[in-house]
Amino acid sequence: MERRLRIAAVVLVLAWFFVPLLRGSIPAWIPVLAFAALVVQFLIAGWREREAPRGKRGRAPLPEDVEEFGGPEWLEPVLVETASHQVWVPADIERGPRVVRPRRSLLPRLEGVLVLAGLVLLLILLPESGWRSLDEKDQRRTEARLSAEAARIAGHDARIRCDGQGEAVGIVQHADGVAEVGGTNAFLTPEICYRLYRLAFKGDEGAFSQTARAIAVLAHEAWHLRGEDDEGVTNCYAFQSGVGLGERLGLSAGTAARMMRQQLAENPIQAKSAPAYLVPPECRNGGELDLAPGRTSFP
Ligand SMILES: [Zn+2]
């Protein structure tokens, strides 16, 4: 049973390594956690094996039973030959009780260590996944494409950078991107950029909510570049522009609209920790913030 569990965990980790779709949609910590659990389980199993009484005799006798049969020295009696017959005598206390240690099989232990070493080697040898695994050319063409999309929404020149160093992203209020209000420069996290690269250049739709989030973030920063500084209003416009943006990046119209409707639906939950990001009540079909009042669908 334990062995089967170990094999299952190893298969999961290997699958994550070799199936790009899994790598794209499951964050790295899940297989890492599965593997850590495997190692801990393995160590605990080894420790318990050491602590547990050995042999196949089952339950150890209770102290009362031991007393009744003549005390602890009778636990390991020794057969002694006398001139006429054989007698059982208690084991010599000085020699200590004879403990039969069955030879522990080394193989399962070695197997675990080998698997561990193999996976560590794989981690080192396999190229890093995500934004930093892309070569310079792919990074530049992704930034160029995202800049062009941002410019389209902003109505003027835009320069999107996928800040690998995290200098600019993360220090300002929202964690996934930052933009100069009314300016030309915006930064996105490498995770957002990589998701958009996969969509735009590899036709990989990825996980629904991750892709939806990435599109919404790009559209959000683009609206800041356009000059909007209210976070709630920016979100409202971003969810609407996100439909066309998603389509241009390769989604079907239906999927792009569903993604932005999901972002709008989850907005109150996301805005709980940062109320400024809550879309205003006028962000609705036919409301003041509806960019296409004539259309019946929203966003
Ligand atoms: Zn913002």
Side-chain angles (χ1 to χ4, degrees), residues 173-174 177 220-221 224 229 231 234 277:
Q173 60 273 58
H174 37 116
H220 180 105
E221 303 313 335
H224 277 321
D229 66 347
E231 296 293 357
T234 300
Y277 288 82

Side-chain angles (χ1 to χ4, degrees), residues 143 146-148 150-151 156-161 183-187 225:
E143 287 181 335
L146 302 184
S147 297
H156 57 73
D157 258 6
R159 187 171 174 219
I160 298 284
R161 268 174 290 177
T184 54
N185 292 304
F187 296 88
L225 295 180

Side-chain angles (χ1 to χ4, degrees), residues 236-283:
C236 182
Y237 289 153
F239 299 151
Q240 297 175 69
S241 299
V243 180
L245 174 59
E247 268 186 81
R248 290 193 297 276
L249 293 177
L251 295 174
S252 71
T255 303
R258 271 201 307 282
M259 283 185 176
M260 291 306 106
R261 278 201 285 274
Q262 182 235 29
Q263 289 292 299
L264 178 63
E266 285 186 359
N267 172 257
I269 306 161
Q270 311 246 319
K272 261 194 182 134
S273 55
Y277 288 82
L278 185 68
V279 299
E282 282 305 305
C283 186

